[in-house]
Amino acid sequence: MASPKTVPKDAQVMMQILKDMGITEYDPRVINQMLEFTYRYVTTIIEDAKIYSTHAKKSNVDADDIRLAIQCRVDQSFTSPPPRDFLLDIARQKNQTPLPLIKPYTGPRLPPDRYCLSAPNYRLKSLQKKVSSSAGRITVPRLSVGAVSSRPSTPTLGIPSVQTVGTKVGTPVSLTGQRFTVQIPSSQAASVKSATPTTPTVQNVLINPSLIGSKNILITTNMVSQNSSSDSTALKRKHEDEDDYDAL
Amino acid sequence: MAAVQDAPMELDAEKETKPEILSDGTSNLSGNTASGTLSSPPLTAGGAPKQEDQQTLIAVLQFLRRNKLTESVEILRREACLEDQEDSQTLDGSGGGKGDGDGGDANSLLSRVSIASAAAPQIISSTSMYDQPDVSVVLSAYSQQGDPSLYQVYYSSLKNFIESVLDCHRAELSQLFYPLFVHMYLELVYNNHENKAKAFFEKFSGDQECYYQDDLRILCGLTKKEHLKGNEALLDFRTSRFVLRISRDSYQLLKRHLQERHNNQIWNIIQEHLYIDIFDGMPRSKSQIDSMSGSFAGETRREVNKAKVFYGLLKEPEIEVPLDDEDDEAENEEGKPKKKKTKKDSMGSKSKKQDPNAPQQNRIPLPELKDSDKLDKIMYMKESTKRIRLGPENLPSICFYSFLNAYQGLTAVDFTDDSSLLAGGFADSTVRVWSATPKKLRKVKSAAELNLIDKESDDVLERIMDEKTASESKNLYGHSGPVYGVSFSPDRNYLLSSSEDGTVRLWSLQTFTCLVGYKGHNYPVWDTHFSPFGYYFVSGGHDRVARLWATDHYQPLRIFAGHLADVTCTRFHPNSNYVVTGSTDRTIRLWDVLNGNCVRFFTGHKGPIHSLAFSPNGKFLASGSTDGRVLLWDIGHGLMIGELKGHTDTIYALKFSRDGEILASGSMDNTVRLWDSMKAFDDMETDDFTAATGHIHLPDNSQELLLGMYHSKSTPVTHLHFTRRNLLLAAGAYNSQ
């Protein structure tokens, strides 16, 4: 913890509050969070009170305005769980109905479709900005040319990731619309039991057209996470890539 | 029987006489000089606005109606609607007539109301009762307006009295200190005597028992009436009655002292806020009291734990077990019909006849067994033959799964019953499923690809799985807050996760996507648990209730309300007919799934309860909390039968071995301890449980029962699981600090 000399007074107050409430171990960020909350709350209340007092055509903000501001905000921000007698009441009502009988042989027992989340209209685009300083095995990136639509599975863990990248150009007749997929297998990282979610990364890298030509090239690098299975599929891809080199 | 216990019936009696009091006028009442009178008449009646008195009258009407005293209702309504003259007469008369000490709060209520009715000439509208204030709420508004500066005097005099009393009574009467202290303090705060409240607190808070320190800390931050409004737990404390169990002799002593000294302030508080459960017999010793007390609302009344609980297990269905190659009778496989093999292991049905302590098969609707479930059962029985018999000489091996790089974000863990899958819930709102076997996790192919496979082939079940995306672990995204509870379904098709965002999500383990979000708690859901038969699950959260859901209903089927603070731990009984909940109010309640009633109420922990485990035979319950103790309870008799001391920090994981011989406990102090549960339960079964008081003297034998203590390298233990062969699996996040 910072020495009392360098800590501003407000933060000292927060530290004292925590000490009074008997909390001895806490992350240092907690003080900042408490300060931020305090500032935000007090500012909101005082601004609201100012509005109320001007509405009442008073020259100064007084305690009544503050009280009104607090009351109005309390229901918005600080809701507390329902009171006990209310809970007992609804529990009594709910518990009176007998348990419904279970229909036999209905497959997965789920609520009606409109209460389920089984029809999402979106897909998650895995966009983890992993720095490409992948120490370890960096092989020469393999280029594979072709329209995005005809490549259903560049080796990633999520199937649709390629389609979601960038915009479609249309029929890949002209070279200007071509997409190149560059595949850089990442290094073998820590144990499988690592808890950090490692999702495949898709990065869009625009390469200076002058290097390759006047084509508008969009290069997609797939950072494949540590998985032996994807490595094996990556190796498989190599064979198919050779066909593409011929096409070039 | 003591007057206090029969409060409801006496109230009725008082209510009958009430119309006479109102209509007769002064003559009767002037004769009613009570032995103890209030030092000052309730101030609220005289100068109170009409609205409050009206509310009180309405509340009284509601109460009368609820007790079906229709004549009294009519008379009261007639009286209250009359002009002021008649009412002022009754005012003079009833002012002097305070009810005597007996009869609970009924008399004080009556007198106040009769005074109040004077100031309420309005006609009481007979609109629907449902938006009328509840009686208890109104009552709590009526403060006992003793002189605030005298509170300290009253308390000190009581303290002196109790210290002067005989040793055997002192321990029991000392139980009074804490509830009296809190109620007096809250009254001072409620009536805006802030400085007096603070002085009162400072003077007497140090005397209280050590296990109430957390509550006291919260109290000392509460100095204004507005602070009380948001604090639901304390509001409930004010309106619910703190239960104390005192022997008759001690009670007589106390009553005599308080009544002869005319400081009825304390007596009034006792009448109003405390429930004194009187028993005949020897007064309890300090250690006995300490073991049972500690909860937010005192101890349990005797009659609460007397309901019949079906703690037995349901009969296992008879399944034909096909003989496999390893058997000697290999020649029977072909030709002869398969023989029925009934396993004679301890977990199976004892005999063909019904266990009297087991619920009926159809008491609650349960899903029937599918073919896949039958296969699972066969696997289970095969595995159980290879199970290691554990005991004090034969301790289990422990396999610890450490979560690395979790950065203190691991908040929930669960294993499937056959230990093939492991799920972790994290503070960054993700859920991750790992395969604990060499077999990878596969999800079902997309619809387009499924069209292409050959549906007639024999291995269609393998073909529908997508090999390309097979992996060791899968992430599940969907929650918008830390995931505090995870639970696998017994058939390994579903995973439940409960989170701070107030929802419980059902995930499919075939497609690894979210299927349903169950919204009901609007506050963090601290725990969830699937029923051992699937289909039902229970969740408990910050809104102080536990809810029972079925996977195919978007609303809960049962609501278990009754706890005074958050429900932190919820578990199903092995027969799926009961749900146990542990809460921050330091009590454990057992609920009946059929009708939602609370059938058992256990107090004794001194801190919030974070782990619960049923013994495999369904008779016993083990609970662990932040105070580092594991308590053992007998469900059938409703009593505490054991206490295991040893852990120094919160116990988050408790599990019985497959046959119930060993209890494993894991805690934040980085240890796993193994206890001899067989011995702990055997010791108690010889005693006579039907003793009326049910007071146990717990032997301090934690050291003898401890079979082993195993330290991990700075990894707190979050979850424990015994495999089907009695290998102990433990899980926790490595804490590098």
Side-chain angles (χ1 to χ4, degrees), chain B residues 50 80-84 87 116-124:
Chain B
K50 294 171 186 173
C81 300
L82 288 176
E83 280 81 9
D84 301 53
D87 289 354
S117 63
Q122 313 289 345
I123 297 170
I124 295 165

Side-chain angles (χ1 to χ4, degrees), chain B residues 692-732:
Chain B
T693 57
H695 291 149
I696 315 292
H697 188 74
L698 294 173
D700 191 12
N701 56 354
S702 301
Q703 277 305 110
E704 300 162 16
L705 295 175
L706 178 65
L707 296 174
M709 179 170 82
Y710 306 94
H711 288 271
S712 70
K713 193 164 61 171
S714 74
T715 309
V717 183
T718 313
H719 188 75
L720 288 170
H721 174 75
F722 275 93
T723 64
R724 287 173 175 172
R725 300 194 192 185
N726 268 341
L727 169 70
L728 178 57
L729 304 178

Side-chain angles (χ1 to χ4, degrees), chain B residues 1-6 172 175-176 241-252 254 270 273-284 292 297-306 601 692-695:
Chain B
M1 287 305 252
V4 187
Q5 262 180 323
D6 295 337
E172 290 206 321
Q175 291 178 71
L176 275 174
R241 304 185 97 188
F242 195 95
V243 177
L244 293 171
R245 298 180 69 176
I246 298 189
S247 68
R248 187 179 297 280
D249 306 324
S250 317
Y251 181 71
Q252 299 294 353
L254 177 71
I270 292 179
H273 292 294
L274 268 56
Y275 180 94
I276 300 190
D277 195 21
I278 299 185
F279 63 89
D280 293 306
M282 289 291 298
R284 293 192 289 168
M292 297 292 294
E299 303 185 33
T300 62
R301 303 180 210 191
R302 262 172 299 143
E303 63 269 12
V304 163
N305 280 345
K306 295 291 182 212
F601 182 55
T693 57
H695 291 149

